[in-house]
Amino acid sequence: MLKITDLVKRYDTGQPVLKNLNLEIKGESVVSIIGSSGAGKSTLLRCINRLVEPSSGQIQLNGTDLTSLNRSQLRKARHKIGMVFQSFNLIDRLTVMENVQSGRLGSLPTWRAIARKYPKEDIRRAYELMDRVGIAHYADKRADELSGGERQRVGVVRALMQEPEILLADEPTASLDPKTSEQIMGLLRDLSREFALPVLINIHNVTEAKEYTDRIVGMRYGRIIFDALPSDLDKDAMDSIYSGTPAADRGADVQQSTVSGDVGAVAT
């Protein structure tokens, strides 16, 4: 379970980007985060794996307080947090297999990583996952020879090679055409079911969020102002998320839910 409590991120200049944010995610579920640019969506994801350092608050993953870990402990903990990036973050000159195996770097001795002497079990696992997402025949192809959708599939497999406890996806379809975007969202949904893996996706495409995710979290000005089923995301909720007054400024409280099958919570 991911549990975020009173999370604040404040930069040296300006107001906090995240304001006492609370969120819980349980079990195999796909949760999307929507909101205007500047709402704090990417900052939230990057605080979870501490690519961005939180100013205060607590982030727990299956009982481990990620915010209290030192550098060595954090390196180990990050291995349990898979990350899929908008820009793919592949090494273009390396093959698909080599990029995929980079997901195992935190579990290998340094000499193996440098020499690219991957354990047979890791190679077998990589082929299984690549076959599952339809890129096994590209194993020996350089990453820069692939299409955007193929590159994103490599990124997904690389994250799964970590055997993560949660998968974070930061705008995973933003660089893709509409058809490929739907394929990637469907893939993330299906993989969440197959691996009993919670998936948290920062996404701009509300239509895809409603179709492919189990729960939608709406953010505005660093706060969660909507947290409910996709079917509950009506016009009023959309107006509140994208053009309305922040819930806190209306004197309203946001009652947030825990995903474990049914979900529900709205601004009141």
Side-chain angles (χ1 to χ4, degrees):
M1 179 179 74
L2 177 71
K3 183 177 182 181
I4 300 173
T5 307
D6 293 330
L7 181 63
V8 174
K9 175 56 187 176
R10 178 182 288 103
Y11 292 101
D12 292 338
T13 58
Q15 294 295 314
V17 178
L18 300 177
K19 305 172 183 177
N20 297 102
L21 188 144
N22 296 280
L23 180 68
E24 290 188 12
I25 300 174
K26 277 187 176 180
E28 58 180 71
S29 59
V30 184
V31 180
S32 56
I33 307 173
I34 64 172
S36 301
S37 297
K41 305 186 301 298
S42 291
T43 300
L44 171 58
L45 259 64
R46 290 171 180 272
C47 278
I48 292 172
N49 59 16
R50 283 180 57 187
L51 291 176
V52 168
E53 286 293 331
S55 299
S56 62
Q58 190 176 63
I59 302 171
Q60 291 183 307
L61 179 61
N62 294 329
T64 299
D65 181 7
L66 301 177
T67 55
S68 67
L69 302 181
N70 61 35
R71 183 174 298 180
S72 175
Q73 294 168 332
L74 178 60
R75 186 163 52 250
K76 293 179 181 178
R78 277 182 176 152
H79 196 63
K80 296 300 182 181
I81 305 173
M83 187 80 180
V84 178
F85 299 89
Q86 173 183 340
S87 57
F88 317 127
N89 279 28
L90 305 181
I91 301 177
D92 287 342
R93 61 183 175 80
L94 297 185
T95 66
V96 168
M97 175 60 81
E98 289 168 334
N99 273 283
V100 164
Q101 290 295 340
S102 68
R104 298 296 297 163
L105 292 182
S107 302
L108 293 178
T110 302
W111 72 267
R112 276 191 175 273
I114 294 174
R116 299 177 189 173
K117 297 291 186 180
Y118 310 121
K120 291 182 179 179
E121 177 60 24
D122 286 354
I123 294 174
R124 182 194 63 78
R125 177 64 171 162
Y127 272 115
E128 285 181 353
L129 291 171
M130 288 191 291
D131 184 61
R132 169 61 186 83
V133 306
I135 58 171
H137 55 297
Y138 292 139
D140 296 323
K141 203 168 187 177
R142 278 176 53 130
D144 57 6
E145 298 179 59
L146 305 182
S147 68
E150 292 161 351
R151 288 165 66 84
Q152 194 57 286
R153 284 176 170 84
V154 175
V156 170
V157 173
R158 176 184 58 194
L160 291 177
M161 285 292 291
Q162 298 177 213
E163 299 180 344
E165 295 176 2
I166 190 170
L167 185 62
L168 309 179
D170 191 9
E171 293 289 352
T173 64
S175 302
L176 307 176
D177 63 78
K179 181 178 180 180
T180 306
S181 295
E182 292 179 359
Q183 293 172 347
I184 293 297
M185 289 296 294
L187 178 65
L188 291 172
R189 177 194 60 196
D190 294 345
L191 292 172
S192 173
R193 307 288 190 266
E194 291 174 29
F195 294 97
L197 181 68
V199 179
L200 185 59
I201 305 174
N202 166 19
I203 188 170
H204 276 298
N205 190 315
V206 176
T207 300
E208 290 179 357
K210 294 184 73 171
E211 183 172 356
Y212 294 103
T213 68
D214 305 307
R215 173 186 176 192
I216 294 178
V217 172
M219 291 184 63
R220 186 168 177 81
Y221 298 140
R223 301 183 189 276
I224 292 177
I225 64 170
F226 177 88
D227 185 348
L229 295 167
S231 57
D232 294 327
L233 186 67
D234 57 17
K235 183 180 183 301
D236 287 342
M238 288 287 289
D239 287 345
S240 179
I241 294 168
Y242 287 98
S243 60
T245 303
D249 291 348
R250 295 198 305 266
D253 295 323
V254 177
Q255 196 173 29
Q256 300 178 66
S257 64
T258 299
V259 171
S260 184
D262 296 332
V263 299
V266 295
T268 58

